[in-house]
Structure formats: structure tokens, C-alpha cells
Coordinates of all heavy atoms in Angstrom, one line a residue:
P1 N 0.6 2.8 19.4 CA 1.2 3.8 18.6 C 0.4 5.1 18.5 O -0.8 5.0 18.4 CB 1.5 3.2 17.3 CG 0.8 1.9 17.3 CD 0.3 1.6 18.7
S2 N 1.0 6.2 18.6 CA 0.3 7.5 18.5 C 0.1 7.9 17.0 O 0.9 7.5 16.1 CB 1.0 8.6 19.2 OG 2.3 8.8 18.6
T3 N -1.0 8.6 16.7 CA -1.2 9.1 15.4 C -1.0 10.6 15.4 O -1.4 11.3 16.3 CB -2.7 8.8 15.0 OG1 -2.9 7.4 15.1 CG2 -3.0 9.2 13.6
S4 N -0.3 11.1 14.4 CA 0.0 12.5 14.3 C -1.1 13.2 13.5 O -1.5 12.7 12.4 CB 1.3 12.7 13.6 OG 2.3 12.1 14.3
F5 N -1.6 14.3 14.0 CA -2.6 15.1 13.3 C -2.1 16.5 13.3 O -1.4 17.0 14.2 CB -3.9 15.0 14.0 CG -4.6 13.7 13.9 CD1 -4.4 12.8 14.9 CD2 -5.3 13.3 12.8 CE1 -5.0 11.5 14.8 CE2 -5.9 12.1 12.7 CZ -5.8 11.2 13.7
L6 N -2.4 17.3 12.2 CA -2.1 18.7 12.2 C -3.5 19.4 12.0 O -4.3 19.0 11.3 CB -1.3 19.0 10.9 CG 0.1 18.4 11.0 CD1 0.8 18.8 9.6 CD2 0.9 19.0 12.1
P7 N -3.7 20.5 12.7 CA -4.9 21.3 12.6 C -5.0 21.9 11.2 O -4.0 22.3 10.6 CB -4.8 22.3 13.6 CG -3.4 22.4 14.1 CD -2.8 21.1 13.7
S8 N -6.1 21.9 10.6 CA -6.3 22.5 9.3 C -6.6 24.0 9.5 O -7.5 24.3 10.2 CB -7.5 21.8 8.6 OG -7.8 22.5 7.4
P9 N -5.9 24.9 8.8 CA -6.2 26.3 8.9 C -7.6 26.7 8.4 O -8.1 27.8 8.8 CB -5.1 27.0 8.1 CG -4.5 25.9 7.2 CD -4.8 24.6 7.9
S10 N -8.2 25.9 7.6 CA -9.5 26.3 7.0 C -10.6 25.9 7.9 O -11.8 26.1 7.6 CB -9.6 25.8 5.6 OG -9.6 24.4 5.6
C11 N -10.4 25.1 8.9 CA -11.4 24.6 9.8 C -11.8 25.7 10.8 O -11.0 26.4 11.4 CB -11.0 23.4 10.5 SG -10.7 22.0 9.4
S12 N -13.1 25.7 11.1 CA -13.6 26.6 12.2 C -13.6 25.7 13.4 O -13.7 24.5 13.4 CB -15.0 27.1 11.8 OG -15.9 26.0 11.8
R13 N -13.5 26.4 14.6 CA -13.5 25.6 15.8 C -14.5 26.2 16.8 O -14.7 27.4 16.8 CB -12.2 25.4 16.4 CG -11.5 26.7 16.8 CD -10.1 26.4 17.3 NE -9.4 27.6 17.6 CZ -8.3 27.7 18.2 NH1 -7.6 26.7 18.5 NH2 -7.8 28.9 18.4
S14 N -15.1 25.4 17.5 CA -16.0 25.9 18.6 C -15.6 25.2 19.9 O -14.5 24.5 19.9 CB -17.4 25.5 18.2 OG -17.6 24.1 18.2
K15 N -16.4 25.3 20.9 CA -16.0 24.6 22.2 C -15.9 23.1 22.1 O -15.2 22.5 22.8 CB -17.0 25.0 23.2 CG -17.0 26.5 23.6 CD -18.0 26.8 24.7 CE -18.0 28.2 25.0 NZ -19.0 28.6 26.0
S16 N -16.7 22.5 21.1 CA -16.7 21.1 21.1 C -16.3 20.5 19.7 O -16.4 19.3 19.5 CB -18.1 20.6 21.4 OG -19.0 21.1 20.5
Y17 N -15.8 21.3 18.8 CA -15.5 20.7 17.5 C -14.1 21.2 17.0 O -13.8 22.4 17.0 CB -16.5 21.2 16.5 CG -16.2 20.8 15.1 CD1 -16.5 19.5 14.7 CD2 -15.7 21.7 14.1 CE1 -16.2 19.1 13.4 CE2 -15.5 21.3 12.9 CZ -15.7 19.9 12.5 OH -15.5 19.5 11.2
F18 N -13.2 20.2 16.6 CA -12.0 20.6 16.0 C -11.9 19.7 14.7 O -12.3 18.6 14.7 CB -10.8 20.2 16.9 CG -10.6 21.1 18.0 CD1 -11.2 20.9 19.3 CD2 -9.8 22.3 17.9 CE1 -11.0 21.8 20.3 CE2 -9.6 23.2 18.9 CZ -10.2 22.9 20.1
C19 N -11.3 20.3 13.7 CA -11.1 19.6 12.4 C -9.6 19.3 12.3 O -8.8 20.2 12.5 CB -11.6 20.5 11.3 SG -11.4 19.7 9.7
F20 N -9.2 18.1 11.9 CA -7.8 17.8 11.8 C -7.6 17.1 10.4 O -8.5 16.5 9.9 CB -7.4 16.8 12.8 CG -7.4 17.3 14.2 CD1 -8.5 17.2 15.0 CD2 -6.3 18.0 14.7 CE1 -8.5 17.7 16.3 CE2 -6.3 18.6 16.0 CZ -7.4 18.4 16.8
I21 N -6.4 17.3 9.9 CA -6.0 16.6 8.7 C -4.9 15.6 9.1 O -3.9 16.0 9.7 CB -5.4 17.6 7.6 CG1 -6.5 18.6 7.2 CG2 -4.9 16.8 6.4 CD1 -6.0 19.7 6.3
A22 N -5.1 14.3 8.7 CA -4.1 13.3 9.1 C -2.9 13.3 8.1 O -3.1 13.7 6.9 CB -4.8 11.9 9.0
L23 N -1.8 13.1 8.6 CA -0.6 13.0 7.8 C -0.7 11.8 6.9 O -1.2 10.7 7.3 CB 0.7 12.9 8.6 CG 1.0 14.1 9.5 CD1 2.2 13.8 10.4 CD2 1.3 15.3 8.6
P24 N -0.2 11.9 5.6 CA -0.3 10.8 4.7 C 0.7 9.6 5.1 O 1.7 9.9 5.7 CB 0.1 11.4 3.3 CG 1.0 12.5 3.7 CD 0.5 13.1 5.0
A25 N 0.3 8.5 4.6 CA 1.3 7.3 4.8 C 2.4 7.5 3.8 O 2.1 7.8 2.6 CB 0.5 6.0 4.6
L26 N 3.6 7.2 4.2 CA 4.8 7.2 3.3 C 5.4 5.9 3.3 O 5.1 5.0 4.2 CB 5.7 8.3 3.8 CG 5.2 9.7 3.9 CD1 6.2 10.6 4.6 CD2 4.8 10.2 2.6
F27 N 6.3 5.6 2.4 CA 7.1 4.4 2.3 C 8.3 4.4 3.3 O 9.1 5.3 3.2 CB 7.6 4.1 0.9 CG 6.6 3.7 -0.1 CD1 6.2 4.6 -1.0 CD2 6.0 2.5 0.0 CE1 5.2 4.2 -2.0 CE2 5.1 2.1 -0.9 CZ 4.7 3.0 -1.9
K28 N 8.3 3.5 4.3 CA 9.5 3.3 5.1 C 10.5 2.4 4.3 O 11.7 2.6 4.4 CB 9.1 2.6 6.4 CG 8.5 3.5 7.4 CD 8.1 2.8 8.6 CE 9.2 2.4 9.6 NZ 8.7 1.8 10.8
Q29 N 10.0 1.4 3.6 CA 10.8 0.6 2.8 C 10.0 0.4 1.4 O 8.9 -0.1 1.4 CB 11.0 -0.8 3.4 CG 11.8 -1.7 2.6 CD 11.9 -3.1 3.2 OE1 11.5 -3.3 4.3 NE2 12.5 -4.0 2.4
E30 N 10.7 0.8 0.3 CA 10.0 0.7 -1.0 C 10.2 -0.6 -1.6 O 11.0 -1.5 -1.1 CB 10.6 1.8 -1.9 CG 10.2 3.2 -1.4 CD 10.5 4.3 -2.4 OE1 10.5 3.9 -3.6 OE2 10.6 5.4 -2.0
L31 N 9.5 -0.9 -2.6 CA 9.6 -2.2 -3.3 C 11.0 -2.4 -3.8 O 11.7 -1.5 -4.3 CB 8.6 -2.2 -4.5 CG 7.1 -2.3 -4.2 CD1 6.4 -2.2 -5.5 CD2 6.8 -3.6 -3.5
Q32 N 11.4 -3.7 -3.7 CA 12.8 -4.0 -4.3 C 12.5 -5.0 -5.5 O 11.5 -5.7 -5.6 CB 13.5 -4.8 -3.2 CG 13.7 -4.0 -1.9 CD 14.6 -2.8 -2.1 OE1 15.6 -2.9 -2.7 NE2 14.2 -1.7 -1.6
D33 N 13.5 -4.9 -6.4 CA 13.4 -5.9 -7.5 C 13.4 -7.3 -7.0 O 14.1 -7.6 -6.1 CB 14.6 -5.6 -8.5 CG 14.5 -4.3 -9.2 OD1 13.4 -3.8 -9.3 OD2 15.6 -3.9 -9.7
T34 N 12.7 -8.1 -7.7 CA 12.6 -9.5 -7.4 C 12.8 -10.4 -8.6 O 12.2 -10.0 -9.6 CB 11.2 -9.9 -6.7 OG1 11.0 -9.1 -5.5 CG2 11.1 -11.3 -6.3
E35 N 13.6 -11.4 -8.5 CA 13.8 -12.3 -9.7 C 13.1 -13.6 -9.4 O 13.1 -14.1 -8.3 CB 15.2 -12.6 -9.9 CG 16.0 -11.3 -10.5 CD 17.4 -11.6 -10.9 OE1 17.7 -12.8 -11.1 OE2 18.2 -10.7 -11.0
A36 N 12.4 -14.2 -10.4 CA 11.7 -15.5 -10.3 C 11.6 -16.1 -11.6 O 11.7 -15.4 -12.7 CB 10.3 -15.3 -9.6
E37 N 11.4 -17.4 -11.7 CA 11.3 -18.1 -12.9 C 9.9 -18.1 -13.4 O 8.9 -18.0 -12.7 CB 11.8 -19.5 -12.7 CG 13.2 -19.7 -12.5 CD 13.7 -21.1 -12.4 OE1 13.0 -22.0 -12.9 OE2 14.8 -21.3 -11.8
E38 N 9.7 -18.2 -14.7 CA 8.4 -18.2 -15.4 C 7.7 -19.5 -14.8 O 8.2 -20.5 -14.6 CB 8.6 -18.4 -16.9 CG 7.3 -18.1 -17.7 CD 7.6 -18.0 -19.2 OE1 8.8 -18.1 -19.6 OE2 6.6 -17.9 -19.9
G39 N 6.4 -19.3 -14.5 CA 5.6 -20.3 -13.9 C 5.6 -20.4 -12.4 O 4.8 -21.1 -11.8
S40 N 6.5 -19.7 -11.8 CA 6.6 -19.7 -10.3 C 5.8 -18.5 -9.7 O 5.0 -17.9 -10.4 CB 8.1 -19.7 -9.9 OG 8.7 -18.4 -10.2
T41 N 6.1 -18.3 -8.4 CA 5.4 -17.2 -7.7 C 6.4 -16.2 -7.2 O 7.5 -16.5 -6.8 CB 4.7 -17.8 -6.5 OG1 3.7 -18.8 -6.9 CG2 3.9 -16.8 -5.7
A42 N 6.0 -14.9 -7.3 CA 6.8 -13.8 -6.8 C 6.1 -13.0 -5.7 O 4.8 -12.9 -5.9 CB 7.3 -12.9 -7.9
T43 N 6.8 -12.5 -4.7 CA 6.1 -11.7 -3.7 C 6.9 -10.4 -3.6 O 8.1 -10.3 -3.4 CB 6.2 -12.4 -2.3 OG1 5.5 -13.7 -2.4 CG2 5.5 -11.6 -1.2
L44 N 6.1 -9.3 -3.8 CA 6.7 -7.9 -3.7 C 6.2 -7.4 -2.4 O 5.1 -7.5 -2.0 CB 6.2 -7.1 -4.8 CG 6.5 -7.6 -6.3 CD1 5.8 -6.7 -7.3 CD2 8.0 -7.6 -6.5
K45 N 7.1 -6.7 -1.6 CA 6.8 -6.2 -0.3 C 7.2 -4.8 -0.2 O 8.2 -4.3 -0.8 CB 7.6 -7.0 0.8 CG 7.4 -8.5 0.7 CD 8.3 -9.2 1.7 CE 8.1 -10.7 1.6 NZ 9.0 -11.4 2.5
C46 N 6.5 -4.0 0.6 CA 6.8 -2.7 1.0 C 6.4 -2.4 2.4 O 5.6 -3.2 3.0 CB 6.2 -1.6 0.1 SG 4.4 -1.5 0.1
E47 N 7.0 -1.4 3.1 CA 6.6 -1.1 4.4 C 6.2 0.4 4.5 O 6.9 1.2 3.9 CB 7.8 -1.3 5.4 CG 7.4 -1.2 6.8 CD 8.5 -1.5 7.8 OE1 9.6 -2.0 7.3 OE2 8.4 -1.2 9.0
L48 N 5.0 0.7 5.1 CA 4.5 2.0 5.2 C 4.7 2.6 6.6 O 5.0 1.9 7.5 CB 3.0 2.0 4.9 CG 2.6 1.3 3.6 CD1 1.1 1.0 3.5 CD2 3.1 2.1 2.4
T49 N 4.6 3.9 6.7 CA 4.7 4.6 8.0 C 3.5 4.5 8.8 O 3.5 4.8 10.0 CB 5.1 6.1 7.8 OG1 4.1 6.7 7.0 CG2 6.4 6.2 7.1
K50 N 2.3 4.1 8.3 CA 1.1 4.0 9.0 C 0.5 2.6 8.9 O 0.4 2.1 7.8 CB 0.1 5.0 8.5 CG 0.4 6.4 8.8 CD -0.6 7.3 8.1 CE -1.5 7.9 9.1 NZ -2.5 8.9 8.5
P51 N 0.1 2.0 10.0 CA -0.5 0.6 9.9 C -1.8 0.7 9.2 O -2.6 1.6 9.4 CB -0.6 0.2 11.3 CG -0.6 1.4 12.1 CD 0.2 2.4 11.4
K52 N -2.1 -0.3 8.4 CA -3.4 -0.5 7.7 C -3.8 0.7 6.8 O -4.9 0.9 6.6 CB -4.5 -0.8 8.7 CG -4.2 -2.1 9.5 CD -5.4 -2.4 10.4 CE -5.0 -3.7 11.2 NZ -6.0 -4.1 12.1
A53 N -2.8 1.4 6.3 CA -3.1 2.5 5.3 C -3.6 1.8 4.1 O -3.1 0.8 3.7 CB -1.8 3.3 5.1
P54 N -4.5 2.5 3.4 CA -5.1 1.9 2.1 C -3.9 1.8 1.1 O -3.2 2.7 0.9 CB -6.1 2.9 1.7 CG -6.2 3.9 2.7 CD -5.2 3.7 3.7
V55 N -3.9 0.6 0.5 CA -2.8 0.4 -0.6 C -3.5 0.0 -1.9 O -4.4 -0.8 -1.8 CB -1.9 -0.8 -0.1 CG1 -0.9 -1.1 -1.2 CG2 -1.1 -0.3 1.1
E56 N -3.1 0.6 -2.9 CA -3.6 0.2 -4.3 C -2.4 -0.3 -5.1 O -1.4 0.4 -5.3 CB -4.2 1.4 -5.0 CG -4.8 1.0 -6.3 CD -5.5 2.2 -6.9 OE1 -4.8 3.1 -7.5 OE2 -6.8 2.3 -6.9
W57 N -2.5 -1.5 -5.6 CA -1.4 -2.1 -6.4 C -1.7 -1.8 -7.8 O -2.8 -2.0 -8.3 CB -1.2 -3.6 -6.1 CG -0.7 -3.9 -4.7 CD1 -1.5 -4.2 -3.6 CD2 0.6 -3.9 -4.3 NE1 -0.6 -4.4 -2.6 CE2 0.7 -4.3 -3.0 CE3 1.9 -3.8 -5.0 CZ2 1.8 -4.4 -2.3 CZ3 3.0 -3.9 -4.3 CH2 3.0 -4.2 -2.9
R58 N -0.7 -1.4 -8.6 CA -0.8 -1.1 -10.0 C 0.4 -1.6 -10.8 O 1.5 -1.7 -10.3 CB -0.9 0.4 -10.2 CG -2.1 1.1 -9.6 CD -2.0 2.6 -9.8 NE -3.3 3.2 -9.7 CZ -4.0 3.6 -10.7 NH1 -3.5 3.7 -11.9 NH2 -5.2 4.1 -10.5
K59 N 0.1 -1.9 -12.0 CA 1.2 -2.2 -13.0 C 1.0 -1.2 -14.1 O 0.1 -1.3 -14.9 CB 1.0 -3.6 -13.6 CG 2.2 -4.0 -14.5 CD 2.1 -5.4 -15.0 CE 3.3 -5.6 -15.9 NZ 3.0 -6.2 -17.1
G60 N 1.8 -0.2 -14.1 CA 1.7 0.9 -15.0 C 0.4 1.7 -14.6 O 0.2 2.1 -13.4
D61 N -0.5 1.9 -15.5 CA -1.8 2.6 -15.3 C -2.9 1.6 -14.9 O -4.0 2.0 -14.6 CB -2.2 3.4 -16.5 CG -1.3 4.5 -16.8 OD1 -0.6 5.0 -15.8 OD2 -1.2 4.9 -18.0
V62 N -2.6 0.3 -14.8 CA -3.6 -0.7 -14.6 C -3.7 -1.1 -13.1 O -2.7 -1.5 -12.5 CB -3.4 -2.0 -15.4 CG1 -4.4 -3.1 -15.1 CG2 -3.4 -1.6 -16.9
T63 N -4.8 -0.9 -12.5 CA -5.0 -1.3 -11.1 C -5.2 -2.8 -11.0 O -5.9 -3.4 -11.8 CB -6.3 -0.6 -10.5 OG1 -6.1 0.8 -10.6 CG2 -6.5 -1.0 -9.0
L64 N -4.5 -3.5 -10.1 CA -4.5 -4.9 -9.9 C -5.5 -5.2 -8.8 O -5.7 -4.5 -7.8 CB -3.2 -5.5 -9.5 CG -2.0 -5.1 -10.4 CD1 -0.7 -5.7 -9.9 CD2 -2.3 -5.6 -11.9
Y65 N -6.3 -6.3 -9.0 CA -7.3 -6.8 -8.1 C -7.0 -8.2 -7.7 O -6.5 -9.0 -8.5 CB -8.7 -6.7 -8.7 CG -9.1 -5.2 -9.0 CD1 -8.9 -4.7 -10.3 CD2 -9.5 -4.4 -8.0 CE1 -9.2 -3.4 -10.5 CE2 -9.9 -3.1 -8.3 CZ -9.7 -2.6 -9.5 OH -10.0 -1.3 -9.8
P66 N -7.4 -8.6 -6.5 CA -7.2 -10.0 -6.0 C -8.0 -11.0 -6.9 O -9.1 -10.7 -7.4 CB -7.7 -10.0 -4.6 CG -8.3 -8.7 -4.3 CD -8.1 -7.8 -5.5
G67 N -7.4 -12.1 -7.1 CA -8.1 -13.2 -7.9 C -7.1 -14.4 -8.0 O -6.3 -14.6 -7.2
L68 N -7.2 -15.1 -9.1 CA -6.3 -16.3 -9.3 C -4.9 -15.9 -9.5 O -4.0 -16.6 -9.2 CB -6.8 -17.1 -10.5 CG -8.2 -17.8 -10.3 CD1 -8.6 -18.5 -11.6 CD2 -8.2 -18.7 -9.2
K69 N -4.7 -14.7 -10.1 CA -3.3 -14.2 -10.5 C -2.7 -13.5 -9.4 O -1.5 -13.6 -9.2 CB -3.4 -13.4 -11.8 CG -2.1 -12.8 -12.3 CD -1.4 -13.9 -13.0 CE -0.1 -13.3 -13.6 NZ 0.7 -14.3 -14.2
Y70 N -3.4 -12.6 -8.7 CA -2.8 -11.7 -7.6 C -3.5 -12.0 -6.3 O -4.7 -12.2 -6.2 CB -3.1 -10.3 -8.0 CG -2.5 -9.9 -9.4 CD1 -3.3 -9.6 -10.4 CD2 -1.1 -9.9 -9.6 CE1 -2.9 -9.3 -11.7 CE2 -0.6 -9.5 -10.8 CZ -1.5 -9.3 -11.9 OH -1.0 -8.9 -13.1
E71 N -2.6 -11.9 -5.2 CA -3.1 -11.9 -3.9 C -2.5 -10.7 -3.2 O -1.3 -10.5 -3.2 CB -2.7 -13.2 -3.2 CG -3.2 -13.3 -1.7 CD -2.7 -14.5 -1.0 OE1 -2.1 -15.4 -1.7 OE2 -2.9 -14.6 0.2
M72 N -3.3 -9.9 -2.5 CA -2.8 -8.8 -1.7 C -2.9 -9.1 -0.2 O -3.9 -9.6 0.2 CB -3.7 -7.5 -2.0 CG -3.4 -6.9 -3.4 SD -4.4 -7.8 -4.6 CE -4.1 -6.8 -6.0
R73 N -1.8 -8.9 0.5 CA -1.8 -9.1 1.9 C -1.4 -7.8 2.6 O -0.5 -7.1 2.1 CB -0.8 -10.2 2.3 CG -1.1 -11.5 1.6 CD 0.1 -12.5 2.0 NE -0.1 -13.7 1.3 CZ 0.9 -14.6 1.1 NH1 2.1 -14.3 1.6 NH2 0.8 -15.7 0.4
Q74 N -1.9 -7.6 3.8 CA -1.5 -6.4 4.5 C -1.6 -6.7 6.0 O -2.7 -7.1 6.5 CB -2.3 -5.2 4.2 CG -1.7 -3.9 4.7 CD -2.4 -2.7 4.0 OE1 -3.2 -2.8 3.1 NE2 -2.0 -1.5 4.4
Q75 N -0.5 -6.5 6.8 CA -0.6 -6.7 8.2 C 0.2 -5.6 8.8 O 1.4 -5.4 8.5 CB 0.0 -8.1 8.6 CG -0.1 -8.3 10.1 CD 0.4 -9.7 10.4 OE1 0.8 -10.5 9.6 NE2 0.3 -10.1 11.6
G76 N -0.4 -4.8 9.7 CA 0.3 -3.6 10.3 C 0.8 -2.7 9.2 O 0.0 -2.3 8.3
C77 N 2.1 -2.4 9.2 CA 2.6 -1.5 8.2 C 3.2 -2.2 7.0 O 3.6 -1.5 6.0 CB 3.8 -0.7 8.9 SG 3.3 0.4 10.1
A78 N 3.1 -3.5 7.0 CA 3.7 -4.3 5.8 C 2.6 -4.6 4.8 O 1.5 -5.0 5.2 CB 4.3 -5.6 6.3
A79 N 2.9 -4.4 3.5 CA 2.0 -4.7 2.5 C 2.7 -5.6 1.5 O 3.9 -5.4 1.2 CB 1.5 -3.5 1.8
E80 N 2.0 -6.6 0.9 CA 2.6 -7.6 0.0 C 1.7 -7.8 -1.2 O 0.5 -7.8 -1.0 CB 2.8 -8.9 0.7 CG 3.9 -8.9 1.8 CD 4.1 -10.3 2.3 OE1 3.2 -11.2 2.1 OE2 5.1 -10.5 3.0
L81 N 2.3 -8.0 -2.3 CA 1.6 -8.4 -3.5 C 2.2 -9.8 -4.0 O 3.4 -9.8 -4.2 CB 1.7 -7.4 -4.7 CG 1.2 -7.9 -6.0 CD1 -0.3 -8.0 -6.0 CD2 1.7 -6.9 -7.1
V82 N 1.4 -10.8 -4.0 CA 1.8 -12.1 -4.5 C 1.3 -12.3 -5.9 O 0.1 -12.1 -6.2 CB 1.3 -13.2 -3.6 CG1 1.8 -14.6 -4.0 CG2 1.7 -13.0 -2.1
I83 N 2.2 -12.6 -6.8 CA 1.9 -12.9 -8.2 C 2.1 -14.3 -8.5 O 3.2 -14.8 -8.4 CB 2.7 -12.0 -9.2 CG1 2.6 -10.5 -8.8 CG2 2.3 -12.2 -10.6 CD1 3.6 -9.6 -9.5
Y84 N 1.0 -15.0 -8.9 CA 1.1 -16.5 -9.1 C 1.3 -16.7 -10.6 O 0.9 -15.9 -11.5 CB -0.2 -17.2 -8.7 CG -0.4 -17.1 -7.2 CD1 -1.3 -16.2 -6.6 CD2 0.3 -17.9 -6.3 CE1 -1.5 -16.1 -5.2 CE2 0.1 -17.8 -4.9 CZ -0.8 -16.9 -4.4 OH -0.9 -16.9 -3.1
D85 N 1.8 -17.9 -10.9 CA 2.0 -18.4 -12.3 C 2.6 -17.3 -13.2 O 2.0 -16.8 -14.2 CB 0.7 -18.8 -12.9 CG 0.8 -19.6 -14.2 OD1 1.9 -20.2 -14.4 OD2 -0.2 -19.7 -14.9
L86 N 3.8 -16.9 -12.8 CA 4.5 -15.8 -13.5 C 4.6 -16.0 -15.0 O 4.9 -17.1 -15.5 CB 5.9 -15.6 -12.9 CG 5.9 -15.0 -11.5 CD1 7.3 -15.0 -11.0 CD2 5.4 -13.5 -11.6
E87 N 4.4 -15.0 -15.8 CA 4.6 -15.0 -17.2 C 5.5 -13.8 -17.6 O 5.7 -12.9 -16.8 CB 3.3 -14.8 -17.9 CG 2.2 -15.8 -17.6 CD 0.9 -15.5 -18.1 OE1 0.3 -14.5 -17.6 OE2 0.4 -16.2 -19.0
L88 N 6.1 -13.8 -18.8 CA 7.0 -12.8 -19.2 C 6.3 -11.4 -19.1 O 7.0 -10.4 -18.7 CB 7.5 -13.0 -20.6 CG 8.6 -12.2 -21.2 CD1 9.8 -12.3 -20.3 CD2 8.9 -12.6 -22.6
E89 N 5.0 -11.3 -19.3 CA 4.3 -10.1 -19.3 C 4.2 -9.5 -17.9 O 3.9 -8.3 -17.7 CB 2.9 -10.2 -19.8 CG 2.8 -10.6 -21.3 CD 3.0 -12.1 -21.5 OE1 2.6 -12.9 -20.7 OE2 3.5 -12.4 -22.6
D90 N 4.5 -10.3 -16.8 CA 4.5 -9.8 -15.4 C 5.7 -9.0 -15.1 O 5.7 -8.3 -14.0 CB 4.3 -11.0 -14.5 CG 3.0 -11.7 -14.6 OD1 2.0 -11.0 -14.8 OD2 3.0 -13.0 -14.6
S91 N 6.7 -9.0 -15.9 CA 7.9 -8.2 -15.6 C 7.7 -6.7 -15.7 O 6.8 -6.3 -16.3 CB 9.1 -8.7 -16.4 OG 8.8 -8.5 -17.8

């Protein structure tokens, strides 16, 4: 797959140097609501326009990190958040 770049107007160029700004990753498919029972596991999925783009999962203002409660998976353009042992507070 090709990567799109746009030249930056503030960059200087010489015979051997060019400066580019990469286009940001966007959502091709945004998160969908998921229903699950308390105590079970839920998986939230989204699809990005760029493979392996950095993803940060948040609940409100709180950044989520991998551990016993959360698992983050990413393959190509697909990103998933798995939430284990669901509680009412996870909604």
C-alpha cells in the first residue's frame, strides 16, 4: 500500500533533502455500541485508514492501559479493546 505525503510549506529544500508531513489516520469504521452481561467480556473494534497507526484507548479523560482488565490488539488497520470481567462502571 502506498503512503500519502504532502510537502510542508515551511520546510526548506536542497538537492538532497525534502520535508514531508504525513496525513493523519482517520476512522474508516468507528466504534459501535456493544451489549454484554456483567461478568462477561466485551470487545470494541474500530478500523483506521492507516495500518499500525498509534491508538490510545480512553474512557472519558482516563487513558486505559493493558493489564488484567483491558487488552489492546492491533493488526493492520483494525484496532480492538477487550474488556474482561465487565462491571456496571464499564458502561
Side-chain angles (χ1 to χ4, degrees):
S2 63
T3 304
S4 300
F5 292 95
L6 295 176
S8 171
S10 62
C11 294
S12 63
R13 61 182 178 174
S14 67
K15 292 180 183 179
S16 62
Y17 177 77
F18 285 93
C19 181
F20 294 93
I21 297 175
L23 294 175
L26 303 173
F27 287 107
K28 281 174 76 173
Q29 178 186 355
E30 295 193 21
L31 291 175
Q32 302 295 314
D33 289 341
T34 300
E35 290 188 20
E37 292 184 20
E38 194 170 357
S40 66
T41 300
T43 302
L44 301 174
K45 303 174 186 180
C46 65
E47 187 177 353
L48 306 168
T49 56
K50 293 173 104 175
K52 299 184 182 179
V55 172
E56 182 178 79
W57 291 94
R58 295 174 159 254
K59 182 177 184 225
D61 293 334
V62 177
T63 302
L64 305 178
Y65 296 98
L68 295 175
K69 180 77 174 171
Y70 304 109
E71 179 183 353
M72 288 80 173
R73 302 175 186 160
Q74 193 166 356
Q75 183 174 5
C77 293
E80 295 181 345
L81 171 66
V82 182
I83 307 170
Y84 296 102
D85 194 24
L86 288 170
E87 301 171 296
L88 190 57
E89 296 81 31
D90 294 318
S91 58

